[in-house]
Amino acid sequence: MTLDLIKRGQCFKINRIDNETVRSQAIRFGIAEGEWLTCEEVVPAGPIVIRKNRQQIAMGRQLAKEISISLN
Amino acid sequence: MSHCHGCSVKIDIPEGARRIVLAGNPNAGKSVFFNYLTGMYVDVSNYPGTTLEISYGRWEKDVVVDTPGVYGISSFNDEERVARDVILTADVVINVVNAVYLERDLFLTQQIIDTGVPVLVALNMVDEATKQGIQVDHQLLSQLLGVPVIPTVAVQKQGLEEVKQQLSQARRGHTDGHLQQELDKLINRVGSRGEALLILEGDAAVAERHGLQPLDQREAIYLQRRQRVNRIVGQVLKETSKATSFANSLSRMMIKPLTGIPILLVALYAMYQIIGIFVAGTVVGITEETIMIGHYEPAVRSLVGSIISEDSILGTILIGEFGVLTMTFTYVLGLLMPLVVGFYFFLSLFEDSGYLPRLATLVDRVLTGIGLNGRAVIPLILGLGCVTMATITTRLLGSERERRIAIFLLGLAIPCSAQLGVIAGMLAAVGPAFVALYALVILAVLVVVGTLMNALLPGQSSNLLIDLPPLRFPRLNNVLTKTGIKSYQFLKEAFPLFALGALLISVFQVTGILTFLQNALAPLTVGWLGLPKEAATAFIMGVVRRDFGAAGLADMTLTPIQVVVSLTTITLFVPCIASVLVMFKERTKKEAAIMWLSTWVIAFLIGGMVAKLSQWLGVSTPFEVVSVIGAVWTLAALTILLVRFTKKTPLSDSSKSGGVA
């Protein structure tokens, strides 16, 4: 599934980020493919907020659609 | 001493002086270090090819250079490019790291260490980390990174003296063995380890300087660096308790529309109460009426009047109605200064508390509709402070397309703080129905123009990807310092322009040009906008500074609808000289000229439209005012629907969305 379909509170693993720039920026923020993260918040029709430890990142809905994830 | 690679910022480095560079993630506290080391003595220089400003100052015989807050030096935006070039030419880097966000901040630390410059790490905000149950073993961290690490609480000056003393201990840190081998292969060809690293990381600009092709190892190096940083963090960091749940739930509430919008409204209401009512009313009453008009002006008039007659040409220019010594000082110090201080105080509160990125998340969906993403809320809000400054910060947006939209909207529909203060004061006198009319007309213009630009400009806007820093209680000390610095900058910029404006208007007045212009513009002001012909003076003043124009209107006797029409026109009307100059600097001449002319056309078109609609529909009862609002928004909705209906954007392209911002 893709990240835009996530629900608040769910844990997920990032399988693939297609956009190369996003991939590199995410690594800098502490998020890489293969890592387990938590969905902190889903803004209706808006961004998804994900969390890894204390790091929170808000990601536009369109971008979330391009990130493939799996749930545990 | 300093080794420049061709595109560095021009800073005079005396013989034998070291170039000490401060680097760190956004809001790590670099500026406090900078002020401490340089004693607030700051020179500001524009970085070539950008309008990004670099502050630098002297510390003993060395030069300290501040850099923009970045997450890495990877050319993802202008800030990073500037930070990269400054860091690459450093003799020593003081890397300020936020102890609460070690995992994120150490990525930049390791990247700087990998460039091979001597580094000293200031582990800042250790008090906040302790409060959140985070303990960092700084000695072990120092051992693992291979550079000195000094715990600090910069805002309380803790550890700063030690940073000064230990600076000579700064050294090259440890680099991953594999990366070291790769670097060794390239260093001989490039001559600089830092540049070799960036070429390996695929930095096209650095590669070009050496006539090389950028290598495509960025992701591999990043992943390896991320793993290394994670390992280090795992070893040095102990969490004794989880983050406070109150901050977490408040953070969530700020992001969700259901609770986020009321929170935003409460924040705006508090701003209105304090700036619009208390400052604009009570404080300005004292500063403008009592102090400036009551005491200052008579004193200046009698002093200057004892030497030259007030009716003479020079007398009119100095102490007349628009006098350089009277009006300039009264407007700037009595009227605008309190309002500007009030606004910057709120802005600093928002900035320091971590609210702005959450607001960006909340409004992302809405801004997507006008071709922007949530991050654009930051320049748009900054625009409420000063459009000039905000125009420069549009550089944080992800694409040229977004910058174009944001800069135009800033110039067109965002009133600056000084203007806003005068507007708030004038609107407070005409009642809520007219306030709503003004606000909704401006909003309609913003939405329609944004939607039109989004539909007509080629390409796609970038996506939101933003780091949410911890919510924290702003430190009053820090907020007041920021407010003070920004207000002082405002004064420095506003005073000469205001004096120039006053001079211009006075000259126009004594030469009769003012009356000529008022008559010449009468068809527009009287015929089309339904205003007294003297309103032309305010518009001419508005070209110099927007608030200047608004302040001119404040002196006139107008009916409520005339207040709304004139304020609408002057809000949409040309931005001030300073922001027009920045617009020309940031965009091509042709584009800036089109933007500039368009603001004039739109301002008078919309102002006149509101005047005509209110003539036809009437504005004597609140119901009639509401019907004017309804008519404006119906027209807006029709325009948007028409554009959406006729625009031909292949939907399949949406998956190829641009980068990120």
PDB file of all heavy atoms in Angstrom, chain B residues 244-252 358 471:
ATOM      1  N   THR B 244       7.033  14.728  26.845  1.00  0.00           N
ATOM      2  CA  THR B 244       5.820  15.100  27.565  1.00  0.00           C
ATOM      3  C   THR B 244       4.595  14.942  26.671  1.00  0.00           C
ATOM      4  O   THR B 244       4.604  15.347  25.519  1.00  0.00           O
ATOM      5  CB  THR B 244       5.902  16.570  28.020  1.00  0.00           C
ATOM      6  OG1 THR B 244       6.259  17.335  26.885  1.00  0.00           O
ATOM      7  CG2 THR B 244       6.902  16.755  29.117  1.00  0.00           C
ATOM      8  N   SER B 245       3.559  14.368  27.251  1.00  0.00           N
ATOM      9  CA  SER B 245       2.405  14.077  26.424  1.00  0.00           C
ATOM     10  C   SER B 245       1.603  15.334  26.123  1.00  0.00           C
ATOM     11  O   SER B 245       0.952  15.425  25.105  1.00  0.00           O
ATOM     12  CB  SER B 245       1.531  13.030  27.100  1.00  0.00           C
ATOM     13  OG  SER B 245       1.135  13.530  28.355  1.00  0.00           O
ATOM     14  N   PHE B 246       1.708  16.356  26.994  1.00  0.00           N
ATOM     15  CA  PHE B 246       0.921  17.564  26.748  1.00  0.00           C
ATOM     16  C   PHE B 246       1.388  18.258  25.461  1.00  0.00           C
ATOM     17  O   PHE B 246       0.574  18.608  24.605  1.00  0.00           O
ATOM     18  CB  PHE B 246       1.014  18.530  27.929  1.00  0.00           C
ATOM     19  CG  PHE B 246       0.330  19.840  27.643  1.00  0.00           C
ATOM     20  CD1 PHE B 246      -1.060  19.898  27.557  1.00  0.00           C
ATOM     21  CD2 PHE B 246       1.061  20.997  27.410  1.00  0.00           C
ATOM     22  CE1 PHE B 246      -1.709  21.086  27.260  1.00  0.00           C
ATOM     23  CE2 PHE B 246       0.423  22.191  27.105  1.00  0.00           C
ATOM     24  CZ  PHE B 246      -0.966  22.227  27.036  1.00  0.00           C
ATOM     25  N   ALA B 247       2.706  18.407  25.316  1.00  0.00           N
ATOM     26  CA  ALA B 247       3.248  19.045  24.107  1.00  0.00           C
ATOM     27  C   ALA B 247       2.834  18.246  22.877  1.00  0.00           C
ATOM     28  O   ALA B 247       2.500  18.824  21.842  1.00  0.00           O
ATOM     29  CB  ALA B 247       4.755  19.145  24.193  1.00  0.00           C
ATOM     30  N   ASN B 248       2.846  16.910  23.009  1.00  0.00           N
ATOM     31  CA  ASN B 248       2.463  16.076  21.879  1.00  0.00           C
ATOM     32  C   ASN B 248       1.014  16.264  21.483  1.00  0.00           C
ATOM     33  O   ASN B 248       0.704  16.400  20.294  1.00  0.00           O
ATOM     34  CB  ASN B 248       2.680  14.603  22.238  1.00  0.00           C
ATOM     35  CG  ASN B 248       4.038  14.146  21.776  1.00  0.00           C
ATOM     36  OD1 ASN B 248       4.682  14.826  20.988  1.00  0.00           O
ATOM     37  ND2 ASN B 248       4.469  13.018  22.300  1.00  0.00           N
ATOM     38  N   SER B 249       0.128  16.300  22.490  1.00  0.00           N
ATOM     39  CA  SER B 249      -1.274  16.437  22.108  1.00  0.00           C
ATOM     40  C   SER B 249      -1.568  17.845  21.611  1.00  0.00           C
ATOM     41  O   SER B 249      -2.358  18.019  20.695  1.00  0.00           O
ATOM     42  CB  SER B 249      -2.229  16.019  23.236  1.00  0.00           C
ATOM     43  OG  SER B 249      -1.668  16.286  24.473  1.00  0.00           O
ATOM     44  N   LEU B 250      -0.872  18.836  22.166  1.00  0.00           N
ATOM     45  CA  LEU B 250      -1.072  20.202  21.668  1.00  0.00           C
ATOM     46  C   LEU B 250      -0.594  20.295  20.212  1.00  0.00           C
ATOM     47  O   LEU B 250      -1.252  20.895  19.364  1.00  0.00           O
ATOM     48  CB  LEU B 250      -0.307  21.202  22.549  1.00  0.00           C
ATOM     49  CG  LEU B 250      -0.512  22.666  22.200  1.00  0.00           C
ATOM     50  CD1 LEU B 250      -1.974  23.074  22.379  1.00  0.00           C
ATOM     51  CD2 LEU B 250       0.375  23.577  23.055  1.00  0.00           C
ATOM     52  N   SER B 251       0.549  19.670  19.955  1.00  0.00           N
ATOM     53  CA  SER B 251       1.100  19.667  18.601  1.00  0.00           C
ATOM     54  C   SER B 251       0.087  19.084  17.627  1.00  0.00           C
ATOM     55  O   SER B 251      -0.160  19.623  16.552  1.00  0.00           O
ATOM     56  CB  SER B 251       2.394  18.856  18.596  1.00  0.00           C
ATOM     57  OG  SER B 251       2.770  18.549  17.295  1.00  0.00           O
ATOM     58  N   ARG B 252      -0.513  17.948  18.015  1.00  0.00           N
ATOM     59  CA  ARG B 252      -1.529  17.307  17.179  1.00  0.00           C
ATOM     60  C   ARG B 252      -2.718  18.221  16.948  1.00  0.00           C
ATOM     61  O   ARG B 252      -3.248  18.328  15.855  1.00  0.00           O
ATOM     62  CB  ARG B 252      -2.029  16.065  17.900  1.00  0.00           C
ATOM     63  CG  ARG B 252      -1.484  14.837  17.294  1.00  0.00           C
ATOM     64  CD  ARG B 252      -2.269  13.642  17.741  1.00  0.00           C
ATOM     65  NE  ARG B 252      -1.329  12.576  17.852  1.00  0.00           N
ATOM     66  CZ  ARG B 252      -1.201  11.786  18.896  1.00  0.00           C
ATOM     67  NH1 ARG B 252      -1.975  11.940  19.940  1.00  0.00           N
ATOM     68  NH2 ARG B 252      -0.295  10.845  18.892  1.00  0.00           N
ATOM     69  N   ARG B 358       3.851  23.863  12.078  1.00  0.00           N
ATOM     70  CA  ARG B 358       2.566  23.178  12.307  1.00  0.00           C
ATOM     71  C   ARG B 358       1.453  23.889  11.537  1.00  0.00           C
ATOM     72  O   ARG B 358       0.568  23.260  10.976  1.00  0.00           O
ATOM     73  CB  ARG B 358       2.258  23.117  13.803  1.00  0.00           C
ATOM     74  CG  ARG B 358       3.135  22.070  14.451  1.00  0.00           C
ATOM     75  CD  ARG B 358       3.121  22.075  15.944  1.00  0.00           C
ATOM     76  NE  ARG B 358       3.940  20.990  16.427  1.00  0.00           N
ATOM     77  CZ  ARG B 358       5.265  21.048  16.566  1.00  0.00           C
ATOM     78  NH1 ARG B 358       5.913  22.156  16.283  1.00  0.00           N
ATOM     79  NH2 ARG B 358       5.947  20.000  16.964  1.00  0.00           N
ATOM     80  N   LEU B 471       7.557  21.567  20.184  1.00  0.00           N
ATOM     81  CA  LEU B 471       6.824  22.731  20.683  1.00  0.00           C
ATOM     82  C   LEU B 471       7.475  23.116  21.983  1.00  0.00           C
ATOM     83  O   LEU B 471       7.767  22.262  22.816  1.00  0.00           O
ATOM     84  CB  LEU B 471       5.381  22.339  20.986  1.00  0.00           C
ATOM     85  CG  LEU B 471       4.346  22.495  19.904  1.00  0.00           C
ATOM     86  CD1 LEU B 471       2.983  22.195  20.482  1.00  0.00           C
ATOM     87  CD2 LEU B 471       4.356  23.889  19.289  1.00  0.00           C
TER      88      LEU B 471
END
